[in-house]
Amino acid sequence: FIEEKVKNDRQFLNSNEIEKWLWHGCRSVQNRDSIVLNGFDSRYANSGSVGFGSYFAVEGSYSDGGYVIRNSDNTKEILLCQVLTGETTAGSSGLKNAPLKPNSNCN
């Protein structure tokens, strides 16, 4: 997190949009525990409506709409995450990696 934040801070010195507090629903205790112990890792994602990956919501109510852990005592669990945001791109079903940016030098 710190290494990526430093890179982003250098790139976007005049932006207030580098870090955001966003919601993430885990659906299961196993998923929650893995995230807490190891962080988010899109290599373990096994679904996604616009590509495989980790999804975050601006409003907690969105994550509460089917993505939260529901406990036997009727309480719910959801993660509030500090997220380094970057550039966005349109996704599509089945997408495993973000598409290359136009004029990219990556091979």
Side-chain angles (χ1 to χ4, degrees):
F1 176 87
I2 298 299
E3 185 178 325
E4 288 299 315
K5 181 180 180 335
V6 169
K7 279 196 275 187
N8 278 334
D9 283 350
R10 286 187 191 130
Q11 269 185 307
F12 304 104
L13 286 175
N14 296 323
S15 174
N16 293 328
E17 298 297 316
I18 296 170
E19 298 176 31
K20 292 183 180 180
W21 286 96
L22 301 171
W23 298 96
H24 179 80
C26 302
R27 289 193 179 154
S28 75
V29 172
Q30 179 183 3
N31 290 347
R32 180 211 53 209
D33 291 347
S34 176
I35 291 167
V36 170
L37 289 173
N38 305 306
F40 290 95
D41 189 337
S42 59
R43 293 176 297 176
Y44 297 111
N46 57 18
S47 65
S49 60
V50 289
F52 290 75
S54 300
Y55 287 76
F56 299 91
V58 173
E59 300 292 332
S61 59
Y62 182 86
S63 294
D64 188 25
Y67 303 101
V68 297
I69 298 169
R70 297 181 190 280
N71 297 311
S72 60
D73 63 357
N74 290 326
T75 59
K76 300 175 186 177
E77 296 182 43
I78 186 173
L79 298 177
L80 179 59
C81 307
Q82 189 175 17
V83 180
L84 290 173
T85 58
E87 296 181 60
T88 61
T89 186
S92 63
S93 180
L95 190 65
K96 285 280 195 180
N97 296 303
L100 292 177
K101 293 168 46 173
N103 303 316
S104 173
N105 291 328
C106 295
N107 293 322

